Amino acid sequence: MNSHDGRKILERFWAAIHANDFRAAGELLHDEYVLVWPQSGESIRGRANWVAVNEHYPAAGPWRVTVHRIIADEAGVATDVTVTDGAVAGRALTFSELRDGKIVRQTEYWPDSFAPAPWRSQWVERAT
């Protein structure tokens, strides 16, 4: 996959999240998708679990995403975004690996470490 294609996939991904259309964002995820959150030590494995976490997240309002920067090459895509629900804003750095035109793995760094939230335990596992 070339860097232009990878960049377009991540632009579509963040636009879907900005629209709060988590199922559309999920369609951009590979069948073997894994998301790792190093700060909480959690991984989300699979499209269905990713969609469920986002649909059940206790947000104060709709998510809004500001994309600050996207860097893409043949190995993957790095994004720098701010995500807010109107009450809390966080800046995330996300490193995405792509396979077969889909996002297969993401490692996402949020500004502060945080404990795993009990409400999402049915959809996540401890990251290794």
Side-chain angles (χ1 to χ4, degrees):
M1 172 167 298
N2 67 45
S3 60
H4 178 76
D5 292 342
R7 179 183 183 88
K8 290 296 180 193
I9 291 167
L10 268 295
E11 286 173 348
R12 289 175 46 211
F13 177 78
W14 288 116
I17 293 173
H18 181 79
N20 291 262
D21 189 346
F22 305 117
R23 292 184 188 274
E27 289 303 312
L28 299 169
L29 306 180
H30 193 277
D31 290 341
E32 297 176 20
Y33 177 77
V34 175
L35 169 64
V36 176
W37 285 327
Q39 288 88 348
S40 66
E42 294 172 287
S43 292
I44 300 173
R45 188 171 306 277
R47 177 183 303 115
N49 287 336
W50 184 89
V51 169
V53 166
N54 283 282
E55 287 182 341
H56 291 89
Y57 197 93
W63 291 114
R64 295 294 174 244
V65 177
T66 302
V67 177
H68 301 288
R69 189 168 185 190
I70 298 176
I71 300 172
D73 66 18
E74 293 73 27
V77 182
T79 60
D80 174 6
V81 301
T82 296
V83 179
T84 184
D85 64 356
V88 177
R91 191 149 182 179
L93 300 176
T94 306
F95 297 91
S96 302
E97 299 170 32
L98 300 128
R99 185 186 317 148
D100 305 325
K102 303 257 184 170
I103 303 165
V104 69
R105 182 177 176 89
Q106 292 182 302
T107 303
E108 195 163 68
Y109 296 93
W110 291 90
D112 298 310
S113 295
F114 53 93
W119 66 265
R120 62 179 173 245
S121 64
Q122 64 184 332
W123 302 296
V124 301
E125 61 191 55
R126 295 299 293 169
T128 56

